[in-house]
Amino acid sequence: MPVRRELEQVQARLRDAFRTSIPILNQVGGHVLATRGKKFRPTLLLLVARLRGQLDRDAVEAATAIEMVHAAALIHDDSVDRSELRRGLWSDEMAIIMGDYLYAQAMTILVEHHLDVAMGVLARVVTEMSCGEALEFQYAYDLDVTEEQYEELVRAKTASLIGAATEIGAGLNGSARHRAVRERYRAFGERVGVAFQIVDDLFDYLGDPEVTGKPVGYDLAEGKVTLPLIAALREASEADRRRLKTLALRKRWSPAHWSQLRALIERCGGFDYARARAAAVALEARALIGDRASASAPVGAPGGAGARAARRALDRAVDYAVQRDH
Amino acid sequence: MPVRRELEQVQARLRDAFRTSIPILNQVGGHVLATRGKKFRPTLLLLVARLRGQLDRDAVEAATAIEMVHAAALIHDDSVDRSELRRGLWSDEMAIIMGDYLYAQAMTILVEHHLDVAMGVLARVVTEMSCGEALEFQYAYDLDVTEEQYEELVRAKTASLIGAATEIGAGLNGSARHRAVRERYRAFGERVGVAFQIVDDLFDYLGDPEVTGKPVGYDLAEGKVTLPLIAALREASEADRRRLKTLALRKRWSPAHWSQLRALIERCGGFDYARARAAAVALEARALIGDRASASAPVGAPGGAGARAARRALDRAVDYAVQRDH
């Protein structure tokens, strides 16, 4: 992994954010850090930056800010979703405070390091993410949601931040003014993010709770109508559609009911469609930054062994988004 | 009021923020706008800006951003506090989303209008406010909290945003580089904010719920140990202190118990002390921007009839902070 050292620096910067004079903040911060692992967004930011030049301190600072925004959004969303992730470690009240603190720390880092372009991206993306969350409320338990509406929700709520990471990465090294390049990398990150989320939504039906850490049907019970169900409803016969709707709107399922629902979605091609769509979106992502075959000459980027290693790692990251098992 | 027209523009800008494509966001936004009235922070920002020069579009934009941050903090804090203010108009979940959206809109405005100094102030103040909220958690139900700790909490949680408003106001009109002037106006705003909050905390004991819209003892029940109680505990005899502690730690009070608690704080001089302290802090605020008598020549400011009117309005705002009845 060509950016391992920088990711360690990001982790150290995150720890610094919880060395305050307020014990309760440091304590909850410790839990936040302990439960956070993959650093997908900072990794993408750093890889894109490395692909296009050398990594400097700005890259680490921007990557830290992005991870803080991700953690803040997750904590707020977690509080919104009442999911199990938090495991009762802290109260909803403290979750709100911690999220606000992390947003503010992200802003502070970007202001202090004069990362103005990144600041603009951050302002936009936090708007998009909260609009995405509002859309989720708007569409809750609505079985007439279309694939287009679903994808816009996913783009706003989840993919926008991944697009922000790749856009910011492309704008470092004095490349902030190359708007077309930045936009291309943003589109790349957003496509990766959409693919990532479609796969995530498949886990709600097909994941192993032992691996994902989340019971199946959790999202559906919360009213989240996702691609497998949308696609199945679209393809189903009239009779199947009625059965699907009835089954989907139960908020609790017996094992028998859950199996019925899953079998019906399977039969109507919902899972196959979602898998194919995730793969197609991942391909779109790759096309945006040039084919694997031309990996030695990525779009508008300087070459070099480091850049090639970054490109290979980016390809692996896209693969991970669609091929992971949790 | 010399800034009435600009305040109307602020209100119009706030309305614009809730003309999105997401019905639920606009709907909740409508409630936010309907319940918000005084615009104390934008008023102070605009008055300070007017005192020091002409009001331009930047002043209105910055004032809008400050009010958005105030609304966001109030909505999140309200959700934290479970206070009556929201009156069940929307869920906690939607409150988190709405707060995040407003923070993001505030950032967007400052980024779009290149108000970089204001952006730096915003990043700092959101950190301070969330630290203030965390401190409130830290100190909850702690009867050993000192006056210094209380005042630091109040400064961080409430006064910092008022200080941000006056600092930003002083930094407009090309005055951003006058750091000493900005800091003096920030100190002014923070002092006004501390006085404001001390008076607010008196209402928890002495306010008329019909006027304040909040039952007495509400904050104390939530564990907020404020100046009247802190001062009373400090001055009380050993026996009174024990009685005070026992009474204060009940989370519900019969009318008889509440009267006893109030009478005891009164007898130990807690209310008098808090009133005197609020008045003293308000005087400190005034001293920071020059005496009323020299109103025609405020610190480092250009003169003119508009500036004098702004100065008189600022004096009235300070008076309002300590003399209001709700």
Side-chain angles (χ1 to χ4, degrees):
Chain A
M1 169 64 88
V3 297
R4 179 166 300 138
R5 196 166 56 92
E6 286 77 11
L7 282 172
E8 280 162 14
Q9 291 167 349
V10 168
Q11 184 67 18
R13 295 282 288 111
L14 290 170
R15 275 195 299 269
D16 289 345
F18 298 113
R19 294 204 175 101
T20 74
S21 61
I22 305 170
I24 200 169
L25 206 57
N26 302 339
Q27 198 181 325
V28 176
H31 289 303
V32 173
L33 292 176
T35 55
R36 316 245 350 86
K38 287 178 287 192
K39 306 251 179 321
F40 190 55
R41 290 147 196 84
T43 301
L44 287 179
L45 186 153
L46 292 165
L47 287 175
V48 169
R50 183 65 195 84
L51 182 64
R52 302 189 39 76
Q54 294 304 313
L55 291 176
D56 56 9
R57 186 164 165 196
D58 281 352
V60 171
E61 299 295 342
T64 304
I66 279 288
E67 184 65 6
M68 283 173 168
V69 171
H70 173 56
L74 203 73
I75 292 167
H76 276 182
D77 185 37
D78 186 25
S79 180
V80 168
D81 284 355
R82 322 255 159 219
S83 98
E84 321 279 278
L85 291 169
R86 200 166 63 243
R87 301 193 192 87
L89 283 173
W90 64 85
S91 65
D92 278 357
E93 292 85 346
M94 202 57 217
I96 296 176
I97 294 167
M98 182 53 77
D100 290 351
Y101 175 74
L102 283 165
Y103 279 128
Q105 287 296 101
M107 279 195 268
T108 303
I109 288 176
L110 300 183
V111 166
E112 275 178 4
H113 295 270
H114 307 287
L115 296 168
D116 296 346
V117 171
M119 190 70 232
V121 173
L122 186 72
R124 189 198 67 222
V125 80
V126 178
T127 301
E128 289 189 314
M129 287 191 295
S130 45
C131 285
E133 298 237 7
L135 271 182
E136 200 160 73
F137 254 72
Q138 188 77 51
Y139 294 154
Y141 303 105
D142 179 355
L143 295 178
D144 295 324
V145 160
T146 65
E147 179 172 357
E148 289 66 36
Q149 289 173 319
Y150 162 80
E151 204 169 304
E152 173 50 22
L153 189 167
V154 162
R155 196 203 57 75
K157 190 186 161 186
T158 307
S160 62
L161 187 59
I162 300 179
T166 48
E167 175 177 359
I168 291 172
L172 292 167
N173 296 308
S175 301
R177 290 183 186 180
H178 299 152
R179 181 183 284 266
V181 174
R182 285 204 284 122
E183 279 173 8
R184 186 185 287 254
Y185 277 95
R186 172 168 87 206
F188 162 72
E190 286 194 349
R191 296 281 82 195
V192 173
V194 169
F196 184 96
Q197 188 60 43
I198 292 174
V199 170
D200 217 69
D201 290 339
L202 273 160
F203 292 145
D204 195 48
Y205 293 96
L206 304 174
D208 177 351
E210 295 278 315
V211 181
T212 64
K214 216 168 97 177
V216 287
Y218 189 90
D219 294 337
L220 183 59
E222 298 251 302
K224 294 178 188 166
V225 178
T226 61
L227 193 51
L229 181 57
I230 292 167
L233 283 165
R234 194 172 52 197
E235 298 303 320
S237 66
E238 201 49 56
D240 277 351
R241 189 176 296 122
R242 272 198 303 276
R243 290 178 58 210
L244 267 173
K245 288 193 171 185
T246 310
L247 279 166
L249 288 178
R250 304 176 75 94
K251 293 184 192 176
R252 286 167 176 236
W253 298 268
S254 66
H257 278 132
W258 185 254
S259 296
Q260 275 175 40
L261 176 62
R262 232 169 72 156
L264 207 47
I265 294 177
E266 177 73 55
R267 205 175 67 205
C268 298
F271 299 130
D272 284 344
Y273 182 87
R275 279 188 208 101
R277 181 72 191 137
V281 174
L283 271 182
E284 286 172 28
R286 277 215 192 85
L288 280 161
I289 59 164
D291 210 286
R292 236 185 245 266
S294 62
S296 56
V299 179
R308 280 195 299 276
R311 174 55 205 253
R312 283 193 300 275
L314 265 184
D315 285 328
R316 283 196 302 274
V318 179
D319 290 341
Y320 163 77
V322 285
Q323 290 165 8
R324 68 216 159 89
D325 67 350
H326 69 285
Chain B
M1 168 65 89
V3 296
R4 178 167 300 140
R5 196 166 57 93
E6 287 78 11
L7 282 173
E8 281 162 12
Q9 291 167 349
V10 167
Q11 184 67 18
R13 297 281 288 111
L14 289 170
R15 274 195 300 267
D16 289 345
F18 298 113
R19 294 204 175 101
T20 73
S21 62
I22 306 169
I24 200 170
L25 206 57
N26 302 338
Q27 197 182 325
V28 176
H31 289 303
V32 173
L33 291 175
T35 53
R36 317 242 352 85
K38 287 178 286 190
K39 306 251 178 321
F40 190 55
R41 291 148 195 83
T43 302
L44 287 179
L45 186 154
L46 292 165
L47 287 175
V48 169
R50 183 65 195 84
L51 182 64
R52 302 190 38 77
Q54 293 305 312
L55 291 176
D56 57 9
R57 186 164 164 196
D58 282 353
V60 170
E61 298 295 342
T64 305
I66 278 288
E67 185 65 6
M68 284 173 167
V69 171
H70 173 56
L74 204 73
I75 292 167
H76 276 182
D77 185 37
D78 187 23
S79 180
V80 168
D81 284 356
R82 323 255 158 217
S83 98
E84 320 281 280
L85 291 169
R86 199 168 62 243
R87 299 191 193 91
L89 284 175
W90 63 86
S91 64
D92 278 357
E93 292 84 347
M94 203 57 216
I96 296 177
I97 294 167
M98 182 54 75
D100 289 352
Y101 175 75
L102 283 165
Y103 279 128
Q105 288 295 100
M107 277 195 268
T108 303
I109 288 175
L110 300 183
V111 166
E112 274 177 5
H113 295 270
H114 307 287
L115 296 168
D116 296 347
V117 170
M119 191 68 232
V121 173
L122 186 71
R124 190 197 66 222
V125 80
V126 179
T127 302
E128 288 189 314
M129 287 192 295
S130 44
C131 285
E133 297 237 8
L135 271 181
E136 200 160 73
F137 253 72
Q138 188 77 50
Y139 294 153
Y141 304 105
D142 179 354
L143 295 177
D144 295 325
V145 160
T146 65
E147 179 172 357
E148 288 68 33
Q149 289 172 321
Y150 162 80
E151 203 168 304
E152 173 51 21
L153 189 167
V154 162
R155 194 202 59 74
K157 190 186 160 186
T158 307
S160 62
L161 187 59
I162 299 178
T166 48
E167 176 177 359
I168 291 172
L172 293 168
N173 297 308
S175 302
R177 291 182 184 182
H178 298 152
R179 181 181 284 268
V181 174
R182 285 204 283 123
E183 280 175 7
R184 186 186 287 253
Y185 276 95
R186 171 168 87 206
F188 163 73
E190 287 195 349
R191 297 280 81 195
V192 173
V194 169
F196 185 96
Q197 189 57 45
I198 292 173
V199 169
D200 218 69
D201 290 338
L202 273 160
F203 292 145
D204 194 49
Y205 292 96
L206 304 174
D208 178 351
E210 297 278 316
V211 181
T212 64
K214 214 168 99 178
V216 288
Y218 190 91
D219 293 338
L220 184 58
E222 298 252 299
K224 293 178 188 167
V225 178
T226 60
L227 193 51
L229 181 56
I230 292 167
L233 282 165
R234 193 171 54 197
E235 298 304 319
S237 67
E238 201 50 54
D240 277 351
R241 188 175 298 121
R242 272 197 303 275
R243 290 178 58 210
L244 267 173
K245 288 191 170 187
T246 309
L247 279 166
L249 288 178
R250 302 177 78 93
K251 293 182 191 177
R252 287 167 175 235
W253 298 267
S254 65
H257 277 132
W258 184 254
S259 295
Q260 274 177 41
L261 176 61
R262 231 169 73 156
L264 207 48
I265 294 176
E266 177 72 55
R267 203 174 69 206
C268 298
F271 299 128
D272 284 344
Y273 183 86
R275 277 188 210 101
R277 181 72 192 137
V281 174
L283 270 182
E284 286 171 27
R286 278 216 190 84
L288 279 161
I289 58 164
D291 210 286
R292 239 184 243 266
S294 61
S296 55
V299 178
R308 279 194 300 276
R311 174 55 204 252
R312 283 192 300 273
L314 265 185
D315 285 329
R316 285 196 301 274
V318 179
D319 290 342
Y320 163 78
V322 286
Q323 289 164 10
R324 70 215 157 89
D325 67 350
H326 69 285

